[in-house]
Amino acid sequence: MTDELLSTKSALGIVADDTMSRDEKETALLQLREEIASQQSDGTLDPGLASRALQDIQVAMARISE
């Protein structure tokens, strides 16, 4: 998955993508989590939005683990 595509996808959108394998989804979610954490730490993403995005990623990870 390209970085451009990753940045336009939501965590739940990644989970819903039927074209991706479970491993690809897990990798994409981990990359998204790193991207959000990086933006949060450098101040380019509002802390509230970052918190919500990280929660969405946790929910998405739980869904692919089912």
Side-chain angles (χ1 to χ4, degrees):
M1 173 175 284
T2 66
D3 290 336
E4 291 173 7
L5 181 58
L6 182 61
S7 67
T8 63
K9 286 218 163 208
S10 69
L12 298 178
I14 291 170
V15 171
D17 188 340
D18 292 335
T19 64
M20 297 173 70
S21 71
R22 182 184 182 279
D23 288 340
E24 289 172 323
K25 289 177 184 183
E26 189 174 288
T27 299
L29 289 169
L30 292 173
Q31 289 175 342
L32 184 59
R33 183 172 63 188
E34 288 176 15
E35 183 180 319
I36 297 295
S38 174
Q39 290 177 356
Q40 183 181 19
S41 68
D42 68 15
T44 59
L45 185 61
D46 177 76
L49 293 175
S51 176
R52 176 60 192 200
L54 293 172
Q55 287 175 352
D56 287 348
I57 292 168
Q58 287 179 322
V59 169
M61 291 293 279
R63 286 188 180 179
I64 63 169
S65 295
E66 293 176 342

